[in-house]
Amino acid sequence: MTEYPTFVTHLECSYTGKHYPADTLQGLSEAGKPLLVRYDLDALASGVSKIHLIDREPELWRYREFLPVRRSENVVRLGESMTPLLPARKLEEDYGCTRILIKDEGRLPTGSFKARGLALAVAMARELGVRRMAIPTNGNAGAALAAYCAAADIETWVFCPADTPRVNIEETAFFGAHTYLANGYINDCGKVVGAGREEMGWFDTSTLKEPYRIEGKKTMGLELAEQLDWQLPDVILYPTGGGTGLIGMWKAFAELEAIGWIGSRRPRMVAVQAAGCAPMVRAFESGSRHAEPWEDAHTIAAGIRVPAAVGDFLILDAVRESGGFAVAVEDTDILAAQRECARREGILLCPEGAATLAALKRELASGRIRRDERVALFNCATGLKYPLPAEYGQIDLKQPIDYAALKI
Ligand SMILES: *Cc1c(COP(=O)(O)O)cnc(C)c1O
C-alpha cells in the first residue's frame, strides 16, 4: 500500500469558514454552501519543490501533494495527461494580439476536462467507501463519472436534460451507467439526485456539492502555471457553467502564492457565458454577490447551460477580486468563432471553448481586453462531441466524375 504525501488539514465552508473533518464523507456545509479542501501549506511547501516535478509523468497526479488522496491504490488512471497550451498564431496576427493561448482540454479521458474533477471525486469516493454515485449533467460530467466508476467498480446513476448532446448520452450509458433523460434543466436533474439520496443510497456528485471535483479542476491552474514557467497570463477567459474550473484555478493560484511558487500578480478572470443563459453576467453587472436563477435557458453550448450555480458567490468573488468581468456571447458568434478557429488554426473547439474566443473578439473591440495582454482561452472539450454542419458534397462512383463541377 503506497501512501501519498498529503497535506490536507480539514474542509472549510466557503461561506461561513466553519471547519469540517476531512476524512469523512461530506456534501455541502450546514449553510448549504460548497466545502473547500484546506492544506497545511507550510508543510506542503517543504514537502515538494518545482524541481521534483521535472521527473514526474506529464499527468494530473504529478501535483499529488496539492491533492487530497491519501492512498495511491484508490487512484483510477485513464490517462489524465497534461493538455497542450497551443499558441493561436494566425489569430494573434489577425487580431494584432501579443499572445493568444488555447488550453486544449479535449485531450483528456472522455474528451473533456470533466475528467479532472471526476478522477478526484471517484478516487476520494473509493477512499471513503462509496459504492454508488449519482450526478446531474449536461453531458460531459456524466460521461467522465461513468468512465471512472466503471474502472473503479462503483455503480453510477446519471440524469441529464433530454437535449444533452447525443454522443455524451450514448457514451455514458455504454460505460454501464444507469442513464436517464429528463424533461428539464441540469438543476432539475440535480433535485432528482438530491431528493433520491436516502432512498437510493447514492452519493451526490453534483458540481460543488462534494469537495473534491474542484480539487481536480484546480490542476488546470497548476498546470497552466507550470507550462508558462510560473508566469501566469494576463487574462483567462473561462466558459462558465457551475464555475468549478474558474474557482479551482483561483484556488490553485492562492495556494501557489502561499507556498512561494508565484507572486501576487493574478490573471484577470473573465467568466464567459452564453446570452441565452447568463446568470453570472447579470449578477456581475448588477453588483450582486449571488445570481438569480435564469429562466428559459437556451444555448448550443450545453456545458454552460447552467441556470443556477451553488458556487455563484465564489465565481463572482474571484472575477471581482481579479479585476476581471463576466460577459455573454450569442450562439451565432459562438458558431462563427468555432469555424474561424477551425479554419485558421486547425483546432476544433467545442462550442463552450468557442464562446471564449467570441468573447475575446468582442472585448478586444470594446477595449476591455488590450491587444498587448497575454490571453489564455479554455477549450474544455473536444469539438468532436458536438454536431457539426454537413458542409460537403457527394459524388456518384457509378458515373464518370465531372471534375469541373467539383471546382465551385
Ligand atoms: C462543464 C463544462 C463547462 C463548464 O465548466 P464549469 O467549471 O462547471 O463552469 C464548460 N465547457 C464544457 C465543455 C463543459 O463540459
Side-chain angles (χ1 to χ4, degrees):
M1 182 164 84
T2 326
E3 298 292 324
Y4 268 4
T6 178
F7 300 100
V8 175
T9 51
H10 60 278
L11 304 175
E12 185 182 294
C13 174
S14 55
Y15 200 67
T16 65
K18 183 171 175 185
H19 290 198
Y20 293 77
D23 295 294
T24 59
L25 206 55
Q26 302 279 2
L28 290 171
S29 71
E30 286 152 282
K33 301 296 181 196
L35 289 171
L36 299 176
V37 183
R38 295 301 182 199
Y39 300 83
D40 179 344
L41 293 169
D42 290 335
L44 200 163
S46 40
V48 63
S49 69
K50 291 177 187 174
I51 310 292
H52 288 128
L53 297 180
I54 294 170
D55 294 329
R56 294 186 182 172
E57 291 295 314
E59 55 156 14
L60 180 154
W61 299 103
R62 69 197 276 102
Y63 305 115
R64 53 188 171 257
E65 285 86 355
F66 294 84
L67 298 173
V69 179
R70 292 199 193 274
R71 284 180 299 281
S72 62
E73 78 245 25
N74 291 318
V75 168
V76 176
R77 277 188 166 76
L78 296 175
E80 301 70 30
S81 46
M82 290 175 90
T83 62
L85 193 56
L86 304 166
R89 298 212 192 276
K90 287 205 273 176
L91 296 182
E92 286 167 1
E93 224 179 272
D94 295 349
Y95 308 161
C97 284
T98 305
R99 208 35 143 190
I100 303 173
L101 297 165
I102 300 176
K103 182 97 173 116
D104 191 6
E105 296 280 298
R107 322 292 179 98
L108 286 159
T110 67
S112 88
F113 71 169
K114 290 295 194 298
R116 291 184 189 266
L118 276 314
L120 257 294
V122 169
M124 289 308 292
R126 262 185 147 185
E127 203 144 284
L128 299 170
V130 172
R131 302 296 317 140
R132 186 182 272 195
M133 298 174 86
I135 197 167
T137 180
N138 279 324
N140 288 323
L145 180 69
Y148 283 97
C149 282
D153 289 321
I154 293 175
E155 196 186 294
T156 322
W157 295 71
V158 176
F159 300 88
C160 58
D163 54 356
T164 296
R166 200 53 36 185
V167 175
N168 275 320
I169 300 169
E170 288 162 1
E171 177 190 14
T172 302
F174 203 67
F175 282 126
H178 304 278
T179 307
Y180 290 88
L181 308 188
N183 49 346
Y185 294 109
I186 186 169
N187 310 61
D188 305 311
C189 295
K191 286 175 197 146
V192 173
V193 170
R197 268 184 316 198
E198 291 265 300
E199 187 173 341
M200 300 299 286
W202 57 44
F203 182 66
D204 185 345
T205 320
S206 304
T207 300
L208 290 168
K209 291 188 183 167
E210 59 78 57
Y212 301 114
R213 284 175 64 182
I214 181 175
E215 293 301 293
K217 285 273 195 90
K218 188 178 85 178
T219 61
M220 279 193 301
L222 302 174
E223 202 175 294
L224 182 69
E226 189 185 1
Q227 284 174 317
L228 293 172
D229 202 19
W230 313 102
Q231 303 291 318
L232 296 173
D234 299 311
V235 185
I236 290 178
L237 288 100
Y238 184 80
T240 306
T244 338
L246 193 150
I247 302 163
M249 282 195 277
W250 195 242
K251 184 170 187 283
F253 301 153
E255 291 172 1
L256 287 174
E257 184 184 352
I259 65 169
W261 289 19
I262 63 168
S264 58
R265 205 184 59 80
R266 290 283 183 284
R268 293 197 288 139
M269 305 297 283
V270 176
V272 178
Q273 299 203 297
C277 181
M280 297 306 141
V281 180
R282 191 166 62 187
F284 177 79
E285 284 172 356
S286 71
S288 161
R289 196 179 181 216
H290 292 278
E292 292 298 319
W294 192 270
E295 302 290 330
D296 302 319
H298 61 90
T299 169
I300 50 159
I304 53 175
R305 198 180 61 161
V306 179
V310 64
D312 54 359
F313 65 102
L314 295 171
I315 299 169
L316 290 158
D317 286 356
V319 165
R320 289 188 176 118
E321 269 174 53
S322 74
F325 54 90
V327 56
V329 289
E330 298 289 343
D331 278 7
T332 48
D333 295 331
I334 292 176
L335 289 171
Q338 187 187 30
R339 178 185 303 267
E340 184 180 349
C341 192
R343 298 200 172 191
R344 291 295 280 160
E345 298 291 342
I347 300 171
L348 183 59
L349 301 174
C350 61
E352 299 83 350
T356 65
L357 179 57
L360 172 63
K361 292 177 70 166
R362 185 191 154 121
E363 299 304 339
L364 286 171
S366 77
R368 273 206 287 191
I369 296 177
R370 294 192 321 271
R371 290 187 158 70
D372 64 351
E373 291 190 290
R374 293 170 312 135
V375 173
L377 309 179
F378 274 79
N379 183 49
C380 303
T382 167
L384 292 172
K385 288 194 126 181
Y386 302 76
L388 290 170
E391 296 173 336
Y392 39 79
Q394 209 160 341
I395 54 171
D396 182 358
L397 298 179
K398 293 182 180 134
Q399 304 292 329
I401 306 293
D402 179 0
Y403 289 96
L406 300 181
K407 288 181 191 146
I408 31 156

